[in-house]
Amino acid sequence: MSRRTRLLLQAARCYAEIQAHTEAARCYDLLGWQWSAADAYHRAGDLEHAARTYRQAGHPEQAAHCYRLLGRPELAARCWQERGRRLEAAWELLLAGDITPARRLLAAADTIGKGPQQLRLELARALADRLGGGPPGPLLALFPRVEARLPSLAVRTERRLMLDWGVEAADRVERFDWGARLFRAAYDGQGGGSDILNRWREWATERLGSAAWLPSGPPVETGDTADVAADSGRAGGP
């Protein structure tokens, strides 16, 4: 590790300790550690910088999330399209109520294959039909399949997407019982993972007013150390 890198890293940690996340982000930017910089911008509430940095770092999911919070669904969708992910781009548009362009992208996603992406495609199409005024039945019929599939998904990213989409679809038809069941399936399938549990707690508090009935477990550990390790690994650093 060079002296410059060591000093910038020390400065970033000091800034983070006093909650000066924007200054920490600038240090990470100078290091070229975009993932850590984006996370720091996010903590600072600077969603524009966070989204742009996540996008540059090649993390469309995080970038799209920031653009969604900013009310920019077209940019959220573009983040996915830049990676050739039409299905995910269509989902962003569906969440914003842009049904017609979403359906065009879904039509272009026919060759997606037979894996879990196929189930998400069916979920997206059923939600599009429901948002377009169709009956809720076809969408409701998919929730048992999502519940059964979640525990078997070994790839963390796919499990997170399946869970997020299933819960969002259940929320859209106000079936919070299904939202809770999907969280339970993902939680049990992961062997009680704290990342799922923390998201479940947030959802239950927002939608149901209480998370007291959820399983007990440790909170997710977050911090600059994990971010730095991730960035240094990607960049081939120390």
Side-chain angles (χ1 to χ4, degrees):
M1 181 185 292
S2 70
R3 183 172 182 273
R4 176 180 180 274
T5 297
R6 185 168 57 252
L7 290 174
L8 282 170
L9 180 55
Q10 183 178 3
R13 288 171 172 166
C14 290
Y15 281 130
E17 286 176 3
I18 62 172
Q19 307 298 307
H21 295 300
T22 298
E23 286 74 12
R26 289 169 180 158
C27 292
Y28 289 130
D29 265 335
L30 290 171
L31 285 167
W33 291 2
Q34 293 179 316
W35 177 261
S36 295
D39 274 358
Y41 282 128
H42 201 172
R43 292 190 191 102
D46 188 347
L47 295 178
E48 285 279 4
H49 269 99
R52 185 158 55 248
T53 310
Y54 279 129
R55 192 174 178 181
Q56 291 168 350
H59 294 280
E61 184 177 0
Q62 300 289 347
H65 174 72
C66 291
Y67 281 129
R68 195 185 311 142
L69 293 175
L70 288 166
R72 300 295 304 275
E74 75 285 355
L75 290 179
R78 193 177 303 166
C79 291
W80 290 112
Q81 286 180 287
E82 288 169 352
R83 299 284 161 176
R85 306 275 292 271
R86 293 172 178 169
L87 176 55
E88 288 77 10
W91 186 257
E92 295 293 343
L93 296 173
L94 279 179
L95 296 186
D98 296 337
I99 301 174
T100 300
R103 279 181 166 154
R104 283 198 294 266
L105 286 172
L106 291 174
D110 269 331
T111 59
I112 204 162
K114 299 289 186 181
Q117 295 86 358
Q118 177 63 38
L119 183 52
R120 287 197 287 113
L121 175 59
E122 293 179 45
L123 197 64
R125 285 176 172 167
L127 180 60
D129 290 342
R130 175 58 181 160
L131 294 176
L139 181 58
L140 294 174
L142 289 172
F143 293 146
R145 292 174 57 194
V146 175
E147 181 184 32
R149 192 64 186 269
L150 275 168
S152 66
L153 293 174
V155 179
R156 182 178 179 181
T157 300
E158 187 56 50
R159 184 174 59 243
R160 183 174 60 247
L161 286 173
M162 183 75 78
L163 174 61
D164 288 349
W165 288 30
V167 171
E168 182 66 41
D171 284 353
R172 293 300 176 110
V173 290
E174 297 186 350
R175 288 299 303 267
F176 305 129
D177 57 328
W178 268 114
R181 287 179 62 168
L182 297 181
F183 270 114
R184 167 63 75 177
Y187 178 75
D188 290 345
Q190 195 185 357
S194 57
D195 59 334
I196 296 290
L197 182 56
N198 274 1
R199 291 162 59 207
W200 192 1
R201 285 171 177 158
E202 292 176 4
W203 175 86
T205 300
E206 180 180 348
R207 296 299 187 188
L208 306 176
S210 173
W213 48 277
L214 296 186
S216 59
V220 173
E221 293 183 5
T222 59
D224 296 296
T225 301
D227 296 335
V228 169
D231 264 312
S232 60
R234 291 185 185 93

